[in-house]
Amino acid sequence: MSVVQIFSRAEEPPVQALPLSAAAAPGASTASAEKPAEKTAAADPPPESEPYPLDRAFHAMLARFTGGISPLALSLAWLDWGSHLAAAPQRQMEISRTILRDIGRLAEAAAHAASPEQKPWTVIQPQGRDRRFSGPQWETAPFNLLAQGFLLAERWWRDAATGVRGVSHPNEAIVEFSMRQMLDMLAPSNFAATNPKVLEKAFQSGGENFVFGWQNWCSDLMRLLSNSKLAGGEQFVVGKTVAASPGKVVYRNELIELIQYHPTTAQVRPEPILIVPAWIMKYYILDLSPQNSLVKYLTGQGFTVFAISWRNPDARDRDLAFDDYRKLGVMVALDMIGLIVPGRKTHALGYCLGGTLLSIAAAAMERDGDNRLGTVTLLAAQTDFTEAGELTLFINESQVAFLEDMMWQRGYLDTTQMAGAFQLLRSNELIWSRLSHDYLMGEGAPPSDLMAWNADATRLPYRMHSEYLRKLFLDNDLAGGRYQVDGRSVSLSDIHAPMFVVGTLADHVAPWRSVYKIHYQVDADVTFLLTSGGHNAGVVAPPEEPGHSYQVLTKAADAPYVGPDEWLKLAPHVEGSWWPEWASWLAAHSGAPCDPPRTGVGDAPGLPDAPGDYVHT
């Protein structure tokens, strides 16, 4: 495996070898006890040669012009839809009748636009989450008619793209999604001449908004070309204003730094917490500013907290496997925690992809008789990918092969491809609303710690990402009981530790109904909590911040299954942050408070204080 070695074995400080020692850690995993020196080997040897290198190089070059999206996948989806629609004359007649009806209704509204009795949005209204046409300016003619005409066209294309008999569901979704992207680009709110708010601002400021918008555009372009930080993000400095919870790096290998945070209470719960973040993001999403840091909140509640900080891979790590993240990440961290807090079970938390990895590790541990996990908490983490939301639009055989060829040349998936895919999922909010606000209105959104963290992007190794897309997304091996760890299949039904699973209501990355599937996969008590907000903002929900709410309900392992729609009706609604609910649940599964454990296992020369070195890579 071509990962970077931080220390040679001869020069490695003793504390860093301890978690890999066979006899030191009570309850250490079998994998770490057999051959410590071979712990850092890759999960499986990569293939010696790659097939069709010229074809792959051509696809990689093509990906630079398509943003990583396979043109063949799009073409096949449109061909599937277009050919089936062409062979459906009755469906065509129904679509034509709908067009004529909507044109007639819009013409009637236009004829009575000057009438005082005529109310806006009589033909069609924006959907609840659509903020493009909000405000009284959009309620006056002719802008109201423009907006309604656009919304009618949007609805017509959505109806035309869906419900055509014979079209496969994935292709139907691709057609609907791609057409929506094109229509979003043409919305009246995106152009100065058809946006009444922009025109009003121009008249009030004498056109200054366009000058400021031009400056914003030039500034963004220069930052893009120079790969510099977010404007105004200088106030969010890792280790000072964000990721600032005091702690110490107590272990380091070529993939992770394990951070142990200092206690802030006189006594702590005996069971430590291990945070396993996703490596598609920097770990400090859970340790942002002090006022919204989950780490700070947990230490304030009397818990000993450990967190994994992943190293950002580069081209040298192209053969880093998905299972290496389990071995060199979760398992090594548990070994180290066992040395610092011996004889205690661990509360493990996994966020997003880190939660998927944690569920695999937990199932493998239960299979092998390793009972070091006291509870398992999953935050916006999927274990069944059959309904993984709009992100699956980018995941089919053609698209995965295209991505693999792009990563094959570089050795990793670049940050721009991931950021672009996530932005497309919420293009109205993340792309076009910013165009209107920053470039047409000439206003700049004040930077936030969450925005600065989001701009601190990471890369994904070629082999790991290929295995993740194929084994989990395409083949859904984990849900089907076919995913293998150490040459043997694992099943989530082997997990018996109590689970706390969090879904977020507006999640476009891990839809809550997909997260909810954990109920019929594990043989454990599952407390499921659905919180307001999205994939990140819903998780980062400090108690002092208003506007949060959640629903929560516990299902015993032997209780009958309740579907997601029934669950919504049964689960009580609570105003406020979900953090105290989880802290109470952790306390109920923990022992009586005791003295805090030591930090690390002795002197550790060369290991820095939190947040460590890897967070800066």
Side-chain angles (χ1 to χ4, degrees):
M1 183 179 69
S2 57
V3 294
V4 178
Q5 294 291 336
I6 302 301
F7 296 109
S8 65
R9 301 302 296 182
E11 299 173 352
E12 189 176 25
V15 64
Q16 293 169 279
L18 281 172
L20 308 182
S21 172
S29 64
T30 304
S32 67
E34 292 179 352
K35 291 186 178 181
E38 297 179 4
K39 181 74 175 185
T40 58
D44 295 300
E48 294 182 2
S49 62
E50 299 285 356
Y52 310 113
L54 293 180
D55 291 348
R56 305 193 78 173
F58 172 71
H59 296 158
M61 179 189 67
L62 187 61
R64 298 177 182 176
F65 300 97
T66 64
I69 296 177
S70 170
L72 290 177
L74 286 177
S75 301
L76 290 172
W78 279 89
L79 180 62
D80 186 13
W81 171 77
S83 58
H84 280 90
L85 182 61
Q90 185 176 357
R91 185 79 172 93
Q92 295 177 43
M93 292 177 59
E94 182 183 69
I95 293 172
S96 300
R97 284 198 302 268
T98 302
I99 294 174
L100 294 175
R101 182 198 64 197
D102 289 343
I103 290 176
R105 294 176 61 193
L106 185 63
E108 183 179 357
H112 299 85
S115 172
E117 290 81 14
Q118 181 73 21
K119 295 182 179 180
W121 315 115
T122 55
V123 181
I124 188 173
Q125 300 184 59
Q127 295 183 357
R129 293 181 56 84
D130 190 350
R131 304 298 181 196
R132 291 173 295 181
F133 309 116
S134 60
Q137 296 91 338
W138 284 103
E139 296 182 358
T140 59
F143 304 106
N144 181 255
L145 295 174
L146 277 173
Q148 289 190 86
F150 173 78
L151 292 173
L152 286 172
E154 224 179 23
R155 186 177 69 181
W156 178 81
W157 271 108
R158 183 173 60 250
D159 292 343
T162 57
V164 179
R165 285 179 58 83
V167 181
S168 70
H169 291 298
N171 286 339
E172 179 183 86
I174 290 174
V175 170
E176 193 273 334
F177 178 81
S178 55
M179 179 53 68
R180 177 157 35 98
Q181 299 305 311
M182 289 186 277
L183 287 173
D184 285 346
M185 182 174 58
L186 299 174
S189 55
N190 296 337
F191 302 94
T194 54
N195 189 326
K197 290 184 177 181
V198 174
L199 294 175
E200 182 181 79
K201 185 69 178 289
F203 283 119
Q204 291 176 349
S205 66
E208 273 190 348
N209 57 309
F210 297 123
V211 176
F212 294 145
W214 172 256
Q215 293 174 347
N216 290 339
W217 184 84
C218 291
S219 177
D220 288 346
L221 178 62
M222 293 303 295
R223 273 195 306 276
L224 179 65
L225 295 177
S226 62
N227 198 27
S228 57
K229 291 185 177 180
L230 180 74
E234 298 80 9
Q235 60 182 296
F236 303 108
V237 181
V238 174
K240 294 183 179 179
T241 54
V242 294
S245 295
K248 176 74 175 177
V249 174
V250 295
Y251 174 79
R252 171 193 286 167
N253 62 23
E254 58 266 37
L255 186 59
I256 73 165
E257 287 180 334
L258 181 65
I259 301 171
Q260 180 181 358
Y261 291 96
H262 298 323
T264 58
T265 56
Q267 290 192 314
V268 298
R269 297 286 180 174
E271 296 83 4
I273 296 175
L274 171 62
I275 295 176
V276 183
W279 49 97
I280 61 173
M281 58 178 75
K282 293 292 179 70
Y283 86 93
Y284 65 91
I285 178 65
L286 299 179
D287 186 26
L288 286 171
S289 303
Q291 69 271 13
N292 60 0
S293 167
L294 180 60
V295 168
K296 184 176 184 294
Y297 177 79
L298 290 172
T299 56
Q301 296 296 310
F303 291 98
T304 300
V305 179
F306 294 83
I308 290 174
S309 174
W310 305 100
R311 184 174 63 82
N312 198 4
D314 54 33
R316 294 168 293 181
D317 304 313
R318 62 180 299 117
D319 294 322
L320 196 62
F322 190 88
D323 199 52
D324 290 324
Y325 281 81
R326 181 189 66 88
K327 291 180 179 179
L328 300 176
V330 178
M331 303 312 298
V332 168
L334 289 172
D335 289 344
M336 188 65 190
I337 292 173
L339 295 176
I340 299 172
V341 193
R344 300 292 186 181
K345 292 193 174 185
T346 299
H347 298 303
L349 176 149
Y351 184 13
C352 186
L353 180 55
T356 305
L357 177 69
L358 176 61
S359 66
I360 293 171
M365 291 172 68
E366 293 273 14
R367 179 199 67 185
D368 299 336
D370 186 341
N371 61 355
R372 285 180 287 170
L373 295 182
T375 66
V376 175
T377 296
L378 303 181
L379 305 182
Q382 300 180 92
T383 50
D384 185 315
F385 292 83
T386 52
E387 296 178 331
E390 289 185 334
L391 197 60
T392 56
L393 297 175
F394 302 95
I395 311 299
N396 54 47
E397 185 62 43
S398 175
Q399 181 63 51
V400 168
F402 197 71
L403 282 173
E404 285 177 335
D405 291 347
M406 182 178 63
M407 295 187 296
W408 166 81
Q409 187 179 63
R410 293 177 175 175
Y412 56 84
L413 182 68
D414 197 5
T415 59
T416 55
Q417 274 72 40
M418 285 192 296
F422 289 134
Q423 285 179 337
L424 285 177
L425 296 181
R426 299 170 57 199
S427 59
N428 273 339
E429 300 172 42
L430 300 180
I431 299 177
W432 305 116
S433 65
R434 186 183 175 192
L435 181 148
S436 175
H437 184 269
D438 290 12
Y439 304 151
L440 298 182
M441 298 290 287
E443 301 172 356
S448 66
D449 50 8
L450 195 57
M451 291 171 59
W453 165 84
N454 191 57
D456 193 4
T458 57
R459 298 173 290 272
L460 296 178
Y462 160 56
R463 184 182 177 195
M464 184 286 303
H465 195 45
S466 176
E467 292 176 346
Y468 171 59
L469 293 178
R470 289 194 173 277
K471 293 181 180 180
L472 296 176
F473 265 96
L474 275 184
D475 300 334
N476 207 22
D477 284 349
L478 180 59
R482 298 181 299 273
Y483 191 90
Q484 292 195 345
V485 172
D486 294 332
R488 294 189 295 152
S489 298
V490 296
S491 173
L492 296 175
S493 62
D494 288 336
I495 299 177
H496 305 297
M499 300 189 71
F500 193 97
V501 181
V502 176
T504 59
L505 190 61
D507 200 328
H508 291 74
V509 179
W512 77 267
R513 292 174 185 273
S514 180
V515 175
Y516 187 87
K517 292 172 183 277
I518 195 71
H519 278 88
Y520 55 77
Q521 293 178 304
V522 299
D523 184 17
D525 295 345
V526 177
T527 298
F528 187 81
L529 185 145
L530 179 63
T531 182
S532 57
H535 189 70
N536 297 322
V539 170
V540 183
E544 295 78 14
E545 190 175 78
H548 298 290
S549 61
Y550 64 89
Q551 293 176 263
V552 62
L553 199 64
T554 298
K555 173 191 173 298
D558 56 354
Y561 171 73
V562 175
D565 293 327
E566 294 85 357
W567 186 93
L568 281 176
K569 299 174 183 177
L570 294 173
H573 191 278
V574 182
E575 294 294 329
S577 167
W578 64 271
W579 289 7
E581 183 81 30
W582 180 51
S584 300
W585 182 86
L586 285 175
H589 291 83
S590 301
C594 59
D595 292 335
R598 59 182 175 174
T599 300
V601 291
D603 294 334
L607 292 181
D609 292 333
D613 296 331
Y614 284 179
V615 72
H616 300 290
T617 58

